[in-house]
């Protein structure tokens, strides 16, 4: 009796393993896909949290293809009544991308809404996901709370994890660089991949998330030191801020409220100036701008001991940030001189992306057996059936 149960179970497990193996598609290429909602200009939090790394990945030569998507349709899921904001920020985000070094020769930059195949994929994937599963998605839960939707969650917003799975799988992405808050989206995408591949045929590729490893980059606070840098909190330094605005924001920056006199010992944890220095300052920056210290550790030790004021630290941070931002701003100035060229690039990128998504959609429809007009077997089988 006992052994029979065991046998039964082991057979089932084997079947699961066989199914999983059958459902797994080994990717032929290494492909990156990532994206941003165009709801505002990009800021230093985006830069250290993802843009810097994306440029490195793009230039590493480790990837066969790189796609960066401007997720305007996703932005509209909670901005339906403010389409102008989304429309204007498509350009702002593109300018930010190009100014930090995302290179359209190496990375295909495209606009989500211009790829209708993504919406077809979304609607088929919706059949594989339950309402309860989306309700459990922690990112969706959090955002619903943050945005005070209460009972008025737009259906499109609620379904965006499914649409994001379509974005990722349409390009057969193997690698998805995102912030940590997006991990539940990737988990949901992988579930959809498994469900599709086991239900129909192995077509979709399992994506892997890549999150920032550097602790300082993970959560760059706003200049008020309160929370993550975020547009809605008005505590950002934007990549496109001019030098004077950046200096002003650094002067306002939250430090250690108990560090009243220069001679007082200071706290480095929770001190915004030091959080930024951790994310940006290199030993070369010390050599160039503040040779009294060899590195950040020495500066922090002095600050903690006491005898070091906030002002010189802020002046140093100012130099470091301006050194990082100068080339970005200069590049942006140049790009702003030829806006039609930016739209031409986006259109070419969107066309290229659409061809890739169309290929995947066609494989998806074949797998789902909704390919009536390219399936000669279906037509001949049914003819035979009725001719008898
Ligand atoms: N949800 C992402 C964000 O808010 C944007 C996004 C949309 C995305 N589709 C994607 C990111 C696909 C990675 C992959 O930042």
């Amino acid at each position: 009796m006992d052994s029979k149960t065991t046998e039964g179970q082991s057979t089932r497990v084997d079947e699961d393993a066989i199914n999983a193996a059958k459902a797994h598609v080994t990717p032929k290429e290494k492909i990156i896909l990532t994206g941003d909602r165009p709801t505002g200009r990009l800021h230093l939090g985006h830069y250290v949290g993802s843009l810097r790394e994306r440029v490195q990945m793009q230039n590493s030569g480790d990837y066969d293809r790189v796609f960066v998507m401007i997720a305007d349709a996703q932005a509209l899921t909670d901005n339906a009544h403010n389409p102008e904001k989304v429309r204007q920020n498509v350009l702002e985000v593109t300018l930010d991308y190009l100014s930090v070094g995302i290179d359209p020769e190496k990375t295909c930059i495209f606009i989500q809404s211009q790829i209708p195949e993504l919406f077809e994929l979304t609607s088929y994937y919706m059949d594989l996901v339950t309402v309860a599963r989306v309700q459990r998605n922690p990112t969706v839960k959090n955002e619903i709370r943050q945005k005070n939707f209460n009972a008025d969650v737009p259906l499109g917003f609620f379904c965006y994890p499914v649409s994001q799975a379509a974005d990722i799988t349409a390009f057969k992405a193997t690698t998805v660089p995102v912030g940590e808050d997006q991990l539940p989206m990737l988990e949901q995408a992988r579930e959809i991949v498994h469900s599709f591949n086991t239900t129909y045929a192995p077509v979709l590729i399992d994506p892997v998330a890549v999150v920032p490893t550097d602790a300082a980059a993970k959560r760059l606070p706003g200049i008020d030191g309160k929370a993550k840098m975020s547009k809605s909190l008005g505590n950002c330094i934007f990549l496109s801020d001019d030098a004077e605005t950046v200096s002003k924001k650094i002067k306002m920056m939250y430090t250690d409220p108990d560090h009243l006199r220069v001679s007082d010992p200071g706290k480095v944890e929770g001190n915004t100036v030091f959080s930024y220095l951790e994310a940006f300052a290199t030993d070369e920056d010390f050599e160039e701008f503040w040779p009294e210290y060899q590195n950040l550790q020495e500066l922090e030790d002095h600050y903690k001991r006491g005898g070091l004021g906030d002002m010189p630290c802020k002046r140093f941070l100012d130099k470091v940030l301006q050194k990082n931002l100068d080339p970005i701003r200069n590049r942006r100035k140049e790009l702003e001189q030829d806006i039609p060229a930016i739209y031409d690039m986006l259109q070419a990128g969107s066309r290229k992306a659409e061809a890739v998504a169309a290929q995947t959609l066609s494989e998806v429809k074949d797998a789902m057996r909704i390919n009536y007009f390219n399936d000669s077997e279906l037509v001949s089988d049914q003819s035979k059936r009725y001719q008898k």
Side-chain angles (χ1 to χ4, degrees), residues 255-267:
T255 57
D256 170 8
D258 301 322
H259 186 236
L260 298 173
R261 279 172 304 246
V262 171
S263 56
D264 288 340
K267 262 206 297 294

Side-chain angles (χ1 to χ4, degrees), residues 33-37 69 71 74 112 143 160 164 167-168 176-178 181-182 185-186:
L33 175 109
T34 185
D36 298 280
R37 295 182 197 173
M69 181 182 77
Q74 190 176 105
Q112 186 183 28
E143 282 179 291
Y160 98 75
Q164 194 154 327
D167 303 335
I168 294 167
V176 184
V178 280
D181 65 312
Q182 294 289 306
M185 296 296 152
L186 265 289

Side-chain angles (χ1 to χ4, degrees), residues 22-23 25 193 196-204 363 366-368:
K22 268 198 227 150
V25 186
V193 167
F196 186 95
N197 287 353
T198 46
T199 307
Y200 304 114
V203 167
L204 304 178
E363 292 168 26
D366 281 347
M368 292 176 70

Side-chain angles (χ1 to χ4, degrees), residues 170-184:
F171 298 94
K172 305 217 163 147
T174 51
T175 310
V176 184
V178 280
E180 264 183 338
D181 65 312
Q182 294 289 306
L183 287 176

Side-chain angles (χ1 to χ4, degrees), residues 256-325:
D256 170 8
D258 301 322
H259 186 236
L260 298 173
R261 279 172 304 246
V262 171
S263 56
D264 288 340
K267 262 206 297 294
V268 164
E269 302 79 45
N271 183 324
T272 320
V273 172
F274 285 94
S275 307
Y276 281 53
L277 288 175
E278 277 154 26
F280 287 96
T282 63
D283 294 355
E284 292 75 59
D285 291 332
F286 279 98
E287 202 179 319
E288 190 178 346
F289 302 124
W290 211 357
E292 284 92 320
Y293 304 95
Q294 276 193 355
N295 52 43
L296 187 56
Q297 191 58 53
E298 283 186 19
L299 180 70
E300 291 189 344
D301 289 344
H302 190 180
Y303 191 84
K304 287 195 257 189
R305 269 198 315 273
L308 179 59
D310 285 343
M311 275 322 288
C313 300
K314 286 186 169 180
R315 271 197 301 273
F316 175 60
L317 176 61
D318 190 286
K319 287 183 185 134
V320 172
L321 285 189
Q322 306 289 9
K323 179 179 156 188
N324 275 272
L325 289 171

Side-chain angles (χ1 to χ4, degrees), residues 238-273:
F238 293 100
L239 293 173
S240 48
D241 278 345
D242 59 31
E244 208 185 313
T245 308
V246 173
S247 298
K248 237 197 279 165
K249 289 180 177 174
I250 293 172
K251 287 205 186 89
M252 286 159 53
M253 227 174 232
Y254 177 86
T255 57
D256 170 8
D258 301 322
H259 186 236
L260 298 173
R261 279 172 304 246
V262 171
S263 56
D264 288 340
K267 262 206 297 294
V268 164
E269 302 79 45
N271 183 324
T272 320
V273 172

